[in-house]
Every structure is written in structure tokens, then in C-alpha cells.
Amino acid sequence: MFGGDEKLESIYREVVNRNPGETEFHQAVGEVLSSLPPVLAKHPEFYEYKIIERLCEPDRQIIFRVVWEDDKGRLHINRGFRVQFNNALGPYKGGLRFHPSVYLGVVKFLGFEQVFKNALTGMPIGGAKGGSDFDPHGKSDREVMNFCRRFMTELHQYLGEEIDIPAGDIGVGQREIGYLFGQYKRLTHRFEAGVITGKKLNWGGSQVRTEATGYGLVYFMDEMLRDHKKSFDDMKVTISGSGNVAIYAAEKVTQLGGKVIAMSDSNGVIYDESGIDVETVKRIKEVERKRIKEYTKFHETAAYYEGGNIWEIKTDIALPCATENEITGRDAKILIKNGVIAIGEGANMPTTPEGIKAFMDAGILFGPAKAANAGGVATSALEMIQNSRHDVWTFEYTDKRLKEIMENIYRTCSETAEEYGVPGNLSRGANIAGFLKVATAMIEQGIV
Ligand code: NDP
């Protein structure tokens, strides 16, 4: 796994021992560390300063109880988390996830990834992540608000526009961001717009933030395809999930001439060979907050498969945009057998190590999450800039900045992969480029 580097091997083993049961965190650390042997051969000082050990230990881990009341007056108890991972490049920055599967291991894997992703954006932001095992599905607006208020009551003391700036993730969209910000404002008596990103446009949000992760993913993939004399034009595309990332990836793919033939949610898959209408998906998921199977009521050419596996559908390009480890080694083999040419990770760590290996061995173009889904956090940083200047940019200008950032990230990953002897391996390129930036800053800032 670590190219025979025994020091790396023993650091990894120590991480596993010190963080028992946190399998997603182990996976994320293993994936980054396996890219580092050529870097450490060139930079032995990173060992001397124990940079890797320091990077694998979060700066701070906050765990708290959240008690909230439902519409019937019953009390519920959830667990809240914020892991402030590393602030060598700027204030902690990273989203909040509300989903029953959230526990410390998930938050740490996401926070660890965020450190390198944020470095790749070229913006001055450190890495963090947070969330709760609260499930917003089936809750009323009032219940979601009650939960968000209680969550922020505990968390607000650790936040600040120069300290730690949360945003959305699974289960946390503009509605939740609104409730969280409202409570922060009430507790601090400050309209500190830059303390949270993903806000509504009319009170400090940025144009393109809603679209940013999905659009950014497609800009990144478009640049990669162009580099290989290909494009989205006439390509069949499958996109897992039907949340924020999936919807706007689908919208941009369609704008670039591709055809989205399948999308999903955690219950099932919709398939339409003639192309999925993104506006219908938006209405069902964003406005009505219903299940994806509703789609077939509006489009008779579409079919719905309860419990279906989207990766069994023949496609040219696959964009996993739902959750971690959703493409297994088996799924990867099916996609390859069916002729897939490119994978773009919209979700965080959506491909298992076996899946990544299968894609690499088959020479499939592979856009890793750290790089390909960095558009969301990059645009969050653009939102912070606008907030700090009390400025509002246009959609066109913000979108242009996002596109430039994504093209830049692609070039950085590609050139770094080339420089470190793994041309075309963007996973390695992303890990190395992100690591170098953070590691160098850590040395420059001394032993803290
Ligand atoms: P949303 O909550 O908006 O949507 C998530 C989608 O994925 C839903 O369709 C959901 O279905 C599906 N999903 C979630 N968990 C599972 C599961 N265990 N199995 C199957 N389907 C599942 O989240 P986002 O779109 O914001 O996030 C999606 C991914 O993108 C996550 O990995 C997130 O970390 C990553 N990401 C998001 C960014 C952002 O800006 N939003 C930025 C960078 C990365 P259902 O409704 O049925 O649960």
C-alpha cells in the first residue's frame, strides 16, 4: 500500500490504533498516505517535523448533545460534531452533514479530505467538517428549525468568520443554513455574514453557490475530457443521488450537450433513455421534498427501479454524487465492461479502493473527489470574499471565477502527477499537490 515505505506503514498503523472503529477515516488516510512515498523521498524534512502524524491528528474535536422538541412536544437527543482539522492555510472551513449515518469516523474522514481539497482551490482556507446523526427526512420545517437552533446554541462558541466557517453538505441546504445563521445572530448580536456559507442570496449568499459543486464537477471533467480530445457532447451520463450536487451536475452536463439518462436517491433509480428533465427533478426534490420515484408520474418514457443499482446501467460517463463508497469494486467492473470512459467523483470518497484500482488498471479517466468536487468550497470562499467586502457579484462573474478555479485544479493535479512520475493519475496528483501546500505551511509556522 505504501510502496515499501516502512515509516509510512507504521504511521498508518498508529492512526488505525489511535482511532479504533473509524473505518472511513482509516480509508481516507490510507488513500492519501499511499500517494506520498515519492514526496517523502524528495522531502525528508516532512518526517523530521512529524508533518504526517500532525496532519492525521485533528487540531480539535468537539462533540456535544443536542436536545430538541418535536411538534408533539416529545424530546429527542442527537449528537453533534465539529472537527477542526487543520488551519495552516486559513480559518477552518467545511460543511455540516445531517444524516443518521454520521458519527465521529465519518466527520473525521470528511474533515481530513477537506484539508487537501481546500488547499487545491488555491483559496486561503483550512479544513474542518461537522454534523449530526439527526435525520431531516420526514421532519416538519418547525422541527428542523428547533434542531438547528439547539445545534447552533452549542456550536456557536467555536465559530467566527476568522475562526471556523461551516457550510452545507448532505441534509443541510439553504433552509438549514438559514436557521443556523439566525440562531448564531441571535446568540452573538452580530450580523456576521462570513461566519457561514451557502446562505440565501437576499441575505449574504453568493450567486452560483447552490450550483457550484455540481457545475464545478462538470467543469473539471470537461477540462479532463478536452485534454484527451473528448467532450460531453452526445455522451450518456449517469448521476447517482438527486440532491444538491447531483441536480446541478445534471444541469451543466445537459447544457454542455450530454444526456443524463439515470439519477437516484437512497430508495431507487430513475432511468430515461431519452434524457432526464432536470427541472422536474428540481421541483420534486427542492420544492416538494419528495422521493425520486415521483418523476415517472410526469415523464412516461421514464422507468423507476426500487432498490436498483445505477452502476449497472450502460453509460459513457458516471458521476457518483450521493455518498461515500457507493461504487464498489464489483460496480467498477460492471461500468468498465459496459464501456464507461470517465468517472467524476461529485460525492466525497464515493469509490472504494477496489473500485479506484479497477478504474486505474483499465485506464479509465478518473476525476477524484478532492479535486473534482472542490467547486463548492471554492465558491464558499468567493462568498466569504464578497461578505468581507460587503459586495455582491453577478452570476456570470462568479461562474467565470468557478470555471477558472476548476480548470486550474485540473492542471495542478495533472502537472503534479506528471512531476511525481504517475502521469494521468489525478488521485495521486491531487493528494500530492494538496499535501505539499499544507505541509510547507505547517513547517513555516513552526511547531504548534
Ligand atoms: P444532498 O443531501 O443534497 O443529497 C444527497 C443525495 O444523495 C440524495 O439524493 C440522497 O438520497 C442520496 N444519498 C445520501 N446518502 C445516501 C446513501 N447512504 N445511499 C444512497 N443515496 C444516498 O447532499 P449533497 O448533494 O450536498 O451531497 C452529496 C455528496 O456530495 C456528499 O458526499 C457530500 O459530502 C458531497 N459534497 C457536497 C458538497 C456541497 O456543496 N453540497 C460539496 C462537496 C462535496 P436520499 O434523499 O434518499 O437520502
Short mmCIF file of all heavy atoms in Angstrom, two decimals, residues 37 88 124:
data_model
loop_
_atom_site.label_atom_id
_atom_site.label_comp_id
_atom_site.label_asym_id
_atom_site.label_seq_id
_atom_site.Cartn_x
_atom_site.Cartn_y
_atom_site.Cartn_z
N PRO A 37 4.95 8.30 -0.90
CA PRO A 37 6.35 7.87 -0.95
C PRO A 37 7.26 8.74 -1.84
O PRO A 37 8.33 9.16 -1.38
CB PRO A 37 6.27 6.42 -1.42
CG PRO A 37 4.96 5.95 -0.89
CD PRO A 37 4.04 7.14 -0.98
N ALA A 88 -3.66 25.53 8.77
CA ALA A 88 -2.37 26.06 8.30
C ALA A 88 -2.56 27.06 7.16
O ALA A 88 -1.75 27.98 7.01
CB ALA A 88 -1.46 24.91 7.84
N PRO A 124 -7.45 30.84 0.66
CA PRO A 124 -6.86 30.76 2.00
C PRO A 124 -7.82 30.15 3.03
O PRO A 124 -8.40 30.86 3.85
CB PRO A 124 -6.55 32.22 2.33
CG PRO A 124 -7.55 33.00 1.53
CD PRO A 124 -7.91 32.20 0.32
#
